[in-house]
Amino acid sequence: MADAAIFYFQRTLYKESDKTSTWQTIPENTTVVTAYIDIGPFSKGYLHRKRSTTFYFERAKAFKFLLNSLIVFTNSNIFKHYMLELRRDLLSVTKVFLIDSMSIRSFQYIKQIQEIFLLHSYPKYYPHTTNPMYTCVTHAKFDFLLNATTENTFKSKYFMWLDVGYYSSKTSLKMFYLSKPPSFDETKIAADQVVSNLTQALELDPNTIFKKKMSIVAAGLLYGERSRIIYFSKLYQRGFRYFLSQNLTNSEQQVIYAIYCDKGSRILKPAVELQYYRAPGAPYYHFLGTRLMKVSSLS
């Protein structure tokens, strides 16, 4: 029955001018949430290695081929119109919100974050612990997720966060959609595991996690049922504020790790667990994204 629905969707897609007339026949009806907050060029990895804004514009081209409903947040009017042009055949399942970055909840803590980064003893990782605006952007994805899931514009059961630069612009020259992960537990949040020994990794304490920039999952793609995403986003915000009060901050991956490590779990008591997807062999940050992608055979 699902295959018949997909075929009907693909056949209708090319018979009608509005490519989204039957978008709800995509299995599991997953809404994708992403964002681009322009903070100008910044150092990535090393002080003199710069990442320009053109990187994200180039990577965003992949969204032209994404059949899922899409919600985009940006502080850039140029990027807003760029995305609307990319999605011109999918506008009925696309919402692009132009926002003031300083209105984002995580940005309210930028001065406190900067004060921590200025501490002589605090480790310097570019841009994670050197650029407060970059760090706020990584935390903001949970503000955006909470907004999108609460509003639920497209009446979706499932939501996923997808970094705007997650897929290469050459990922697919065909229409594709992102569906539920295999063997997905709907009580959990799906994420890529990027450590080999999970039990051992969870024994680390938050201080080590933040100051050594350790990660347990990649946060470029997170998938969950709507009510679980809402809870997870609120849990994240609570954890972010708690660790900030302990003079600990870094990117979103360190906050997630610190919440779910043994010590963090005892303090924050998360009521939603992570479902870890691990690539065979070496950790691969985009493994889950390859498992979710379904390419349309009639593109």
Side-chain angles (χ1 to χ4, degrees), residues 31 50 57 63 76 79 97 115 132 157 170 180 204 289:
T31 286
K50 300 291 185 179
F57 279 73
F63 287 98
S76 166
F79 189 78
F97 295 99
E115 289 172 359
K157 182 177 180 181
K170 299 179 181 178
K180 188 163 60 174
L204 284 183

Side-chain angles (χ1 to χ4, degrees), residues 112-269:
Q112 192 173 349
I113 291 170
Q114 185 173 31
E115 289 172 359
I116 294 173
F117 289 173
L118 289 174
L119 293 173
H120 180 71
S121 60
Y122 210 78
K124 302 296 184 277
Y125 300 100
Y126 295 94
H128 301 73
T129 60
T130 61
N131 188 330
M133 292 190 71
Y134 174 87
T135 308
C136 286
V137 168
T138 70
H139 301 311
K141 65 176 60 177
F142 298 93
D143 301 327
F144 300 141
L145 267 176
L146 186 57
N147 180 291
T149 49
T150 302
E151 294 296 324
N152 199 9
T153 302
F154 300 110
K155 308 304 178 188
S156 295
K157 182 177 180 181
Y158 302 96
F159 280 79
M160 65 181 293
W161 174 266
L162 188 69
D163 279 358
V164 74
Y166 186 92
Y167 286 114
S168 165
S169 58
K170 299 179 181 178
T171 294
S172 173
L173 296 178
K174 296 181 177 181
M175 306 304 289
F176 70 96
Y177 63 89
L178 300 170
S179 190
K180 188 163 60 174
S183 305
F184 178 60
D185 182 341
E186 299 203 3
T187 68
K188 298 181 178 181
I189 302 295
D192 275 305
Q193 178 180 324
V194 294
V195 292
S196 299
N197 188 323
L198 185 60
T199 301
Q200 185 177 21
L202 290 173
E203 294 174 354
L204 284 183
D205 63 279
N207 188 70
T208 302
I209 290 166
F210 280 100
K211 292 187 176 180
K212 291 192 175 182
K213 198 171 78 70
M214 308 292 286
S215 299
I216 195 171
V217 296
L221 190 160
L222 299 164
Y223 188 100
E225 187 271 333
R226 176 174 172 258
S227 66
R228 298 290 82 197
I229 289 284
I230 290 174
Y231 177 85
F232 181 66
S233 299
K234 292 178 178 179
L235 168 67
Y236 180 91
Q237 292 173 337
R238 183 161 56 91
F240 161 69
R241 292 192 300 272
Y242 171 76
F243 293 116
L244 197 60
S245 74
Q246 305 299 304
N247 284 336
L248 293 172
T249 190
N250 207 308
S251 76
E252 84 283 26
Q253 292 188 174
Q254 285 69 57
V255 175
I256 293 172
Y257 190 170
I259 288 171
Y260 285 96
C261 74
D262 294 341
K263 185 174 181 179
S265 292
R266 288 194 295 269
I267 295 167
L268 295 164
K269 298 178 172 54

Side-chain angles (χ1 to χ4, degrees), residues 92-111:
S92 67
V93 288
T94 302
K95 291 289 183 183
V96 184
F97 295 99
L98 186 65
I99 58 174
D100 176 0
S101 58
M102 295 310 297
S103 70
I104 303 168
R105 188 172 186 178
S106 65
F107 274 75
Q108 308 305 311
Y109 299 90
I110 193 166
K111 288 185 179 180

Side-chain angles (χ1 to χ4, degrees), residues 8-22 89:
Y8 177 73
F9 171 77
Q10 294 168 336
R11 182 182 61 188
T12 307
L13 182 68
Y14 295 97
K15 285 180 66 178
E16 300 179 9
S17 58
D18 178 7
K19 292 188 176 184
T20 61
S21 59
T22 55
D89 294 325

